[in-house]
Amino acid sequence: WFRDSGYTVSLGNQILKLKGYGAPILPNIDDFKIYYKNSFCSFKLDCRGLGTNGTNGDYFPTTTNSNWTYFNSSINDTITIKVDRFDITKAGNDYRQFLINFPLGQKDTLYYRKDGIGNYYRYYTVANGPNRDHIFLKDNVPVNSNWFSPVVPVVVAGIPQTARLQFTILQKDYTATIGTNTIDSIIRVREDIQYEILGTFTTVSSNEHFYAKKIGQVDFKQINVIQ
């Protein structure tokens, strides 16, 4: 629902911005009427969430202006991520653009998409190599399922190598306290960075990502770095 209050000091047509509340629970195109004094205006709200933007009940919202603020213990400060209103095409796929704001005015851009059947993609660097489109989350597979990113060329200490990412579902649909918030419907995913050493892919560092339904990523942990 939408509700707000305010006033205007000029006559004529006005643009009204109202605060939105709640979350869509059905994939509909819904009709709304906003009343003010003896007048009203109407509009339609598309809650179907098809294509690049995905649904409003999934594990990685991409609707415009969705935003998250995280506390980063390594810098003892917060970073903010916001979904931009623009879509962009890279390597033949359409992505929603995310803007990330670091302390001291630093900025970066991230790109995400999803297919509507439980697979979530990003166009992102693979093990410090070139950017590639790859799945970083699956909400449609059981615990212990795993998959890989594309294999890419990398250079380590001046030596050309190949690398990939391995993803594994560690937990699903559980509740945890993160900070001061108790959050349910969490999926915990391990991301292993692997280099090919003597013909075998070996994990050199790992991260854990935590995604909650209707919220997005709620936590991130670096669990080991192997020298």
Side-chain angles (χ1 to χ4, degrees), residues 16-210:
L16 305 179
K17 294 183 178 181
L18 306 180
K19 293 183 176 68
Y21 300 87
I25 58 174
L26 294 174
N28 299 324
I29 299 178
D30 296 309
D31 295 310
F32 285 84
K33 285 186 177 181
I34 301 297
Y35 294 89
Y36 46 98
K37 289 193 173 181
N38 298 321
S39 302
F40 71 89
C41 66
S42 60
F43 65 93
K44 294 181 181 295
L45 185 65
D46 190 346
C47 300
R48 294 173 300 177
L50 299 178
T52 301
N53 295 338
T55 62
N56 282 308
D58 61 22
Y59 289 85
F60 202 81
T62 57
T63 49
T64 301
N65 294 325
S66 292
N67 60 89
W68 303 263
T69 298
Y70 301 100
F71 177 75
N72 188 320
S73 59
S74 63
I75 61 174
N76 196 34
D77 208 335
T78 58
I79 62 174
T80 300
I81 298 175
K82 183 177 182 179
V83 183
D84 196 11
R85 64 185 180 90
F86 298 107
D87 289 332
I88 190 167
T89 300
K90 289 184 174 293
N93 297 304
D94 293 328
Y95 298 87
R96 177 53 56 97
Q97 182 172 274
F98 285 52
L99 303 179
I100 179 169
N101 292 285
F102 296 96
L104 304 178
Q106 298 165 304
K107 298 180 181 294
D108 200 357
T109 306
L110 305 173
Y111 305 100
Y112 296 97
R113 69 182 181 92
K114 46 199 174 186
D115 59 13
I117 58 173
N119 300 312
Y120 304 75
Y121 299 78
R122 66 189 182 193
Y123 183 73
Y124 193 67
T125 180
V126 175
N128 298 318
N131 290 348
R132 290 289 187 271
D133 179 70
H134 59 270
I135 297 174
F136 67 93
L137 172 64
K138 294 185 178 186
D139 69 18
N140 55 359
V141 296
V143 172
N144 295 325
S145 298
N146 63 77
W147 65 95
F148 300 94
S149 74
V151 175
V152 299
V154 296
V155 177
V156 180
I159 301 174
Q161 298 187 35
T162 54
R164 70 184 183 188
L165 302 176
Q166 176 179 268
F167 299 87
T168 305
I169 302 292
L170 299 181
Q171 288 179 276
K172 285 190 71 173
D173 299 324
Y174 73 98
T175 299
T177 299
I178 299 176
T180 59
N181 300 304
T182 300
I183 303 173
D184 60 17
S185 302
I186 296 174
I187 296 179
R188 176 181 164 214
V189 183
R190 188 178 70 235
E191 178 182 324
D192 298 318
I193 300 174
Q194 298 181 333
Y195 290 110
E196 188 174 13
I197 301 173
L198 299 176
T200 301
F201 280 98
T202 301
T203 297
V204 296
S205 66
S206 299
N207 303 312
E208 288 187 2
H209 300 262
F210 302 77

